[in-house]
Amino acid sequence: MQNTDGWHSQSSEAVLSAFESDSKIGLSQEQIEKQSALYGRNKLTEHRGAGPVKRFLMQFHQPLVYILLAAVFITLALQEWVDAAVIFAVVIINAVIGFIQEAKALQAINALSNTMQNFATVIRSGARESVLTEDLVPGDIVVLQAGDKVSADMRLIKAKDLQIDESALTGESVPAEKTTTILASNSVLGDRTNMAYSSTLVTYGNGIAVVTETGDATEIGKISNLIATTKTLDTPLTKRIKKFSHLLLYAIIVLSAITLLVGWAHGKPVLEAFMAAVALAVGAIPEGLPAAVTIMLAIGVGRMAKRRAIIRNLPAVETLGSTTVICSDKTGTLTKNEMTVKELWSGNQIFELSGNGYDPEGEIQSQQEDEKVPANIAVQETLTAGLFCNEAELHAPNSEHDQWHITGDPTEAALLVAARKASATESISVAERLDTIPFQSEYQYMATLHKGAGENLVYIKGSLESLLPKCNSALDTNGNVKSINAEAVQAVAESMASRGLRVLAFARKAVAGDVETISHQAIENGLEFLGLQAMIDPPRPEAARAVDACHSAGIDVKMITGDHALTATSIAKQLGIVNENETNATITGHELAVTDTSEWPELARERKVFARVTPENKLALVEALQSRGAVVAMTGDGVNDAPALRRADIGVAMALNGTEVARDAADMMLTDDNFATVRAAVEEGRGVFDNLKKFIVWTLPTNGGEALVILIAVMLGLSLPLLPIHILWVNMTTAVCLGLMLAFEPKESGIMQRPPNSPNTPILDSVLLWRIVLVSSLLCLTAFGLYRLELLWGASEAEARTVAVAMFVVGEAFYLLNCRSLKRSVFSVGLFSNPLIWVGMGTMAVLQLAFTYLPLMNTWFYTAPIGWDSWLRILFCGALISSAVGLEKYLRYRDKAAPPAQFLSAGAH
């Protein structure tokens, strides 16, 4: 049964009547069978995607892979078995790596289903019994107690001090206090205090509720459906590679066709002309590029892991470098998710508390004067009240890698930490607790009675609204009782609340020494007001620096949270997300709900804080930002974040305190749940993209030069200077030994002071395309020229071709130094800042010498030994290519660059 206005807007009697249920008797067996047949089992539908075979085959559905597969078939047709085997191995390795990564990304729905494998206590046919949560049906009467996991959506009938942790669903950092009051129909999810939702946790009190929704109809079921139906987008890298591959494919086809036609026009047999076209195609295909991209991304994954960011999907590494907007959850990411007392008002003085979280390191300092806390009796008593009137426990770290942690309510734990900062736990003798009035939502306070010397003391903590009317006096700094200024207290509390702080009031009352029990009537009046403690889930100190660094990098940071607007805005201002004087930066989920969806993209761009939002709101906000061309990174830890995490260009989940659902929906996990790690990951992502660009700029001239050599030979009617097997040798060995060393290049200075890589711009701009053409031409001229020169001086065809192959290898080695930076000199980068460059060059030298002088290699590759004079000419031409590129960079960037002498040797990014 659906209720369009929401069950929260109906009375509990009306809800019971709708399901023909009774709060004391529950459903009969006949009704249960009827409801079960109507609504099905209380579990989520498993949304199955493509099977493993299809997912593996989809790894081949990439333009670059199509080009490589075409090369495999062509080389097989030519009976070049070694060539075909090598290229096919590259294709298979890429497919396996991609399949393994993708296999981990489809578990979110199963994780949601697993959250429902529990038992629930129900009232059926007038008797209590425990049933599997899967057997719950709408109309069931469920008994809720502290520690229970709510297993369906329910309307509360009774609530006794009931508090439920809904952080995974709403993002609110403190447990929600529950009531049975009828609410407005437009109340957002986080404000529906008369409802209990599936997957949330009862932290305090007890209650009775009637099940209203089960399975897919629950709020968590709706989120499950959002995850299953949310489309994931291609990353900026995959889009660029796809576009680049299409252009490359067209170029290869055109050049091969020209080669075939020219050869045929010169009177060569069709088969011979076709062989020349095949040689050109093999030369133009960058066989090492797909493997290099995969390996470079994998190296980036390793680097990020060292900075506490675990990447699930390889392309996500580069996506971080293109991120233009980061939408961050507040609780636990920008904040510590540890309530902390930040201000204390007592004895008409304001005190500030340093430190964050549950670590008791910190001090209490007066704003008015340099007064020591132990001398201020009012402050001591305020801290004592928070210490005694408390059910939480604070636990020290068990090891050097552990952290301070708590058992119990986070608000009460914050009071324990505040007391320890003032050494109150040492100076206050532990007084025996005689009686307790637990917190009750209708009274809004908790009281404890303690044994004293002569007379006993009652300490009370609660909301200011509940305690202030009961106080007729206040304690001053010297411990004297004086009249209370209620207006002053109220003004201080309002000032604290306006800054997003949660305010608690503290009072005490002396009773006779023989009194061992207390009642609400006993503390109805005559209380001595002690003070206020104001707390907040504080921002992480490093998060503010990370936000500032993101702004410097041209990345917009937005907060999307289920918490209240006032609290969210206060934290956003402390972090620098919102300017101190900015007044129109926050919008709530309720305001979004009444706004036309056509206005969402502009609102998403303009506003910086989105409070009290639902999972659907979060998903829609991500989509709205993407509709304006933004590359969005979304962070989150709760079930409510999962759909937006999946839709974002890169979803970032919290590994420590995040839900399994959020982790499985994300592309990246933070092992320290820290926003600063997102900034570090963005920096690494930019470094990976830079190095990928360097590799492409380095590798394409090889293919261009080889294709030009073949094309010129055909046009002049000459024999081919390079055979297909020679081309494959150059492409594969140089890619592995030389090009991949660029993956280890350190990040260049200023990487976080430049704007993000625009997702709409091609990988290569006009400057880099010109450089590729320049180097391709130089490689072609030197290789073809040396080949013809060797033949003129009497060398054999095999020797001349060996020189041509060596020229490409040596030319690429020299050019590699230029590519260590695309704008700056290698000397400014540092000759030995990447020692693996020299390891790669040494390895390539050994392989090339083997290629030239080992008889077995001469047989396999149709090569022959060459003399030292040939090597001198090759080395001279290699140095000439490097100097030409260095000069080109100097002339282009001389206003920003180092002296010309540095550029003439090698250049850089």
Side-chain angles (χ1 to χ4, degrees):
M1 178 181 296
Q2 297 294 322
N3 188 300
T4 55
D5 291 330
W7 298 111
H8 59 278
S9 64
Q10 305 294 314
S11 67
S12 56
E13 293 79 9
V15 177
L16 286 167
S17 176
F19 292 107
E20 300 179 358
S21 186
D22 186 281
S23 61
K24 296 180 179 178
I25 300 174
L27 298 175
S28 65
Q29 187 60 38
E30 181 182 351
Q31 286 176 303
I32 292 167
E33 292 174 359
K34 179 182 175 182
Q35 295 288 77
S36 182
L38 182 62
Y39 295 103
R41 295 180 68 78
N42 180 32
K43 65 178 185 177
L44 302 179
T45 302
E46 292 188 23
H47 302 273
R48 299 191 179 277
V53 174
K54 183 177 180 180
R55 291 204 311 272
F56 181 73
L57 292 176
M58 286 300 292
Q59 304 304 317
F60 299 92
H61 184 51
Q62 303 172 41
L64 271 181
V65 175
Y66 287 148
I67 295 173
L68 293 183
L69 288 173
V72 170
F73 289 122
I74 291 171
T75 49
L76 283 174
L78 300 174
Q79 298 185 354
E80 299 289 350
W81 313 117
V82 176
D83 300 25
V86 171
I87 299 173
F88 190 65
V90 171
V91 173
I92 292 297
I93 290 170
N94 273 284
V96 170
I97 293 173
F99 175 77
I100 292 173
Q101 290 293 325
E102 188 175 322
K104 298 176 182 178
L106 301 174
Q107 301 170 358
I109 305 303
N110 291 335
L112 278 167
S113 299
N114 292 336
T115 64
M116 303 188 72
Q117 305 302 313
N118 297 291
F119 289 87
T121 301
V122 298
I123 299 174
R124 288 179 172 178
S125 302
R128 289 196 181 195
E129 58 180 287
S130 181
V131 300
L132 276 171
T133 57
E134 286 190 7
D135 295 332
L136 287 177
V137 296
D140 256 328
I141 305 301
V142 178
V143 179
L144 298 173
Q145 294 179 324
D148 286 351
K149 194 170 190 177
V150 181
S151 43
D153 288 0
M154 309 173 187
R155 170 65 162 88
L156 292 169
I157 302 171
K158 294 181 180 179
K160 178 73 171 176
D161 309 324
L162 185 63
Q163 296 182 17
I164 298 180
D165 180 359
E166 298 179 334
S167 58
L169 196 61
T170 67
E172 191 161 353
S173 52
V174 294
E177 296 176 9
K178 293 298 181 178
T179 68
T180 58
T181 309
I182 300 173
L183 302 173
S185 59
N186 61 356
S187 299
V188 296
L189 190 67
D191 293 334
R192 296 175 190 171
T193 55
N194 60 10
M195 297 290 295
Y197 290 106
S198 179
S199 83
T200 59
L201 183 67
V202 179
T203 60
Y204 194 83
N206 56 73
I208 295 176
V210 56
V211 175
T212 55
E213 308 287 359
T214 58
D216 291 338
T218 62
E219 291 297 326
I220 198 173
K222 295 173 185 176
I223 295 173
S224 169
N225 187 58
L226 278 177
I227 297 173
T229 56
T230 298
K231 295 180 179 180
T232 55
L233 303 178
D234 283 343
T235 70
L237 178 64
T238 55
K239 290 177 183 176
R240 288 185 176 113
I241 290 289
K242 188 180 294 184
K243 186 174 181 180
F244 169 73
S245 301
H246 286 142
L247 292 173
L248 187 63
L249 180 60
Y250 300 147
I252 290 171
I253 292 172
V254 169
L255 287 174
S256 298
I258 292 172
T259 304
L260 180 62
L261 291 173
V262 170
W264 176 73
H266 278 192
K268 291 185 178 293
V270 174
L271 182 59
E272 187 177 339
F274 177 74
M275 289 293 292
V278 168
L280 184 142
V282 172
I285 294 172
E287 290 88 355
L289 182 57
V293 170
T294 301
I295 294 170
M296 280 189 159
L297 292 175
I299 291 170
V301 167
R303 283 182 171 178
M304 288 186 180
K306 293 177 182 177
R307 302 189 71 170
R308 302 182 184 276
I310 305 299
I311 299 292
R312 294 167 57 88
N313 304 314
L314 287 180
V317 176
E318 182 276 333
T319 307
L320 282 161
S322 300
T323 298
T324 59
V325 179
I326 299 176
C327 296
S328 180
D329 185 33
K330 176 183 73 69
T331 306
T333 309
L334 293 168
T335 66
K336 292 177 69 68
N337 197 18
E338 298 176 358
M339 294 299 289
T340 306
V341 176
K342 301 301 291 182
E343 293 183 13
L344 185 151
W345 185 86
S346 188
N348 206 32
Q349 290 187 19
I350 285 279
F351 293 82
E352 294 181 344
L353 287 79
S354 61
N356 283 314
Y358 299 137
D359 188 336
E361 287 294 323
E363 295 180 345
I364 303 179
Q365 280 287 338
S366 170
Q367 284 187 351
Q368 283 90 347
E369 54 187 82
D370 187 17
E371 179 180 348
K372 294 188 179 298
V373 172
N376 191 319
I377 296 175
V379 173
Q380 282 291 326
E381 280 296 278
T382 302
L383 293 169
T384 300
L387 182 66
F388 283 1
C389 205
N390 206 307
E391 302 288 359
E393 295 180 10
L394 183 64
H395 305 286
N398 297 319
S399 66
E400 61 177 336
H401 301 295
D402 199 7
Q403 298 176 328
W404 286 85
H405 55 285
I406 67 162
T407 302
D409 184 78
T411 299
E412 294 189 337
L415 300 176
L416 294 182
V417 175
R420 290 191 63 142
K421 287 177 181 177
S423 301
T425 53
E426 298 172 9
S427 60
I428 300 171
S429 58
V430 178
E432 178 188 355
R433 183 188 291 190
L434 301 175
D435 196 15
T436 302
I437 297 178
F439 178 87
Q440 293 175 291
S441 55
E442 60 263 42
Y443 290 102
Q444 291 292 307
Y445 62 75
M446 173 185 178
T448 54
L449 173 64
H450 296 268
K451 189 71 176 175
E455 59 183 7
N456 296 339
L457 281 172
V458 180
Y459 285 103
I460 310 103
K461 80 165 190 289
S463 68
L464 184 65
E465 293 78 10
S466 65
L467 293 194
L468 193 57
K470 297 177 174 58
C471 297
N472 56 13
S473 61
L475 209 62
D476 69 9
T477 57
N478 298 315
N480 301 317
V481 178
K482 63 176 186 178
S483 62
I484 185 169
N485 185 344
E487 291 79 8
V489 175
Q490 189 70 45
V492 171
E494 288 176 358
S495 172
M496 290 174 167
S498 69
R499 286 175 276 120
L501 295 167
R502 186 183 186 195
V503 183
L504 286 180
F506 298 86
R508 74 178 187 182
K509 183 176 184 178
V511 296
D514 59 351
V515 174
E516 296 187 349
T517 61
I518 51 173
S519 64
H520 291 292
Q521 290 75 19
I523 56 175
E524 186 63 30
N525 51 50
L527 303 185
E528 294 174 7
F529 184 80
L530 299 175
L532 305 170
Q533 293 193 55
M535 64 191 68
I536 199 168
D537 178 13
R540 294 176 180 267
E542 62 274 24
R545 296 190 295 271
V547 169
D548 183 60
C550 287
H551 288 161
S552 297
I555 300 170
D556 197 10
V557 180
K558 298 181 184 294
M559 180 191 292
I560 301 182
T561 179
D563 213 340
H564 294 280
L566 198 61
T567 304
T569 304
S570 174
I571 294 292
K573 286 183 177 180
Q574 294 178 56
L575 290 169
I577 295 174
V578 175
N579 296 328
E580 195 62 40
N581 299 323
E582 205 166 349
T583 58
N584 200 30
T586 303
I587 189 169
T588 65
H590 176 67
E591 291 171 319
L592 285 170
V594 297
T595 302
D596 191 280
T597 53
S598 63
E599 298 178 30
W600 278 46
E602 187 61 23
L603 280 174
R605 186 186 66 82
E606 289 181 347
R607 302 299 176 95
K608 298 177 181 178
V609 177
F610 302 85
R612 303 305 272 173
V613 293
T614 65
E616 292 85 354
N617 290 157
K618 292 186 177 186
L619 175 60
L621 285 168
V622 170
E623 291 174 337
L625 287 165
Q626 289 171 333
S627 71
R628 290 294 180 92
V631 177
V632 181
M634 172 77 192
T635 76
D637 57 1
V639 174
N640 60 327
D641 298 315
L645 289 173
R646 186 168 177 82
R647 171 67 184 190
D649 296 279
I650 178 162
V652 183
M654 307 300 116
L656 286 179
N657 298 310
T659 60
E660 185 180 359
V661 179
R663 292 196 296 267
D664 287 337
D667 305 292
M668 183 176 89
M669 290 178 287
L670 307 183
T671 60
D672 58 358
D673 290 9
N674 194 335
F675 182 82
T677 304
V678 179
R679 188 215 67 83
V682 168
E683 184 179 12
E684 291 294 340
R686 290 190 174 190
V688 168
F689 181 74
D690 280 358
N691 290 344
L692 273 173
K693 185 186 286 189
K694 292 172 188 176
F695 177 85
I696 293 172
V697 171
W698 171 83
T699 195
L700 288 185
T702 305
N703 306 107
E706 290 164 345
L708 286 174
V709 164
I710 301 299
L711 186 59
I712 289 174
V714 171
M715 293 181 73
L716 297 177
L718 303 173
S719 57
L720 299 180
L722 297 171
L723 299 176
I725 197 169
H726 296 152
I727 293 171
L728 199 58
W729 166 266
V730 172
N731 291 356
M732 298 306 297
T733 57
T734 58
V736 174
C737 297
L738 300 180
L740 277 182
M741 300 306 106
L742 291 172
F744 300 96
E745 278 297 311
K747 294 181 292 294
E748 296 193 42
S749 59
I751 197 169
M752 289 296 284
Q753 275 72 54
R754 69 188 193 206
N757 304 313
S758 173
N760 299 318
T761 58
I763 295 178
L764 304 173
D765 58 25
S766 58
V767 172
L768 297 179
L769 286 173
W770 155 250
R771 190 173 300 165
I772 289 169
V773 171
L774 172 66
V775 178
S776 297
S777 303
L778 291 174
L779 283 171
C780 170
L781 290 173
T782 52
F784 191 83
L786 290 179
Y787 167 76
R788 294 302 300 171
L789 193 61
E790 291 290 326
L791 290 178
L792 287 174
W793 288 346
S796 66
E797 189 78 30
E799 290 172 329
R801 284 174 172 163
T802 304
V803 168
V805 172
M807 182 61 245
F808 270 98
V809 171
V810 171
E812 282 291 277
F814 272 97
Y815 179 50
L816 183 69
L817 296 176
N818 295 87
C819 290
R820 292 191 58 200
S821 176
L822 299 176
K823 293 181 181 177
R824 296 189 294 127
S825 161
V826 72
F827 293 100
S828 63
V829 175
L831 278 173
F832 300 101
S833 57
N834 180 8
L836 288 177
I837 287 284
W838 303 103
V839 172
M841 285 188 174
T843 304
M844 189 67 241
V846 170
L847 289 175
Q848 192 59 31
L849 290 173
F851 176 87
T852 305
Y853 295 108
L854 284 183
L856 184 62
M857 299 289 275
N858 295 153
T859 302
W860 283 354
F861 290 96
Y862 312 108
T863 59
I866 58 177
W868 63 268
D869 55 329
S870 297
W871 283 113
L872 286 177
R873 288 188 289 272
I874 292 168
L875 291 170
F876 174 79
C877 289
L880 186 66
I881 291 172
S882 183
S883 297
V885 176
L887 181 61
E888 181 262 337
K889 284 199 291 185
Y890 167 68
L891 294 174
R892 191 178 297 276
Y893 302 109
R894 55 187 164 187
D895 293 335
K896 307 174 185 178
Q902 296 184 4
F903 282 87
L904 293 177
S905 175
H909 178 183

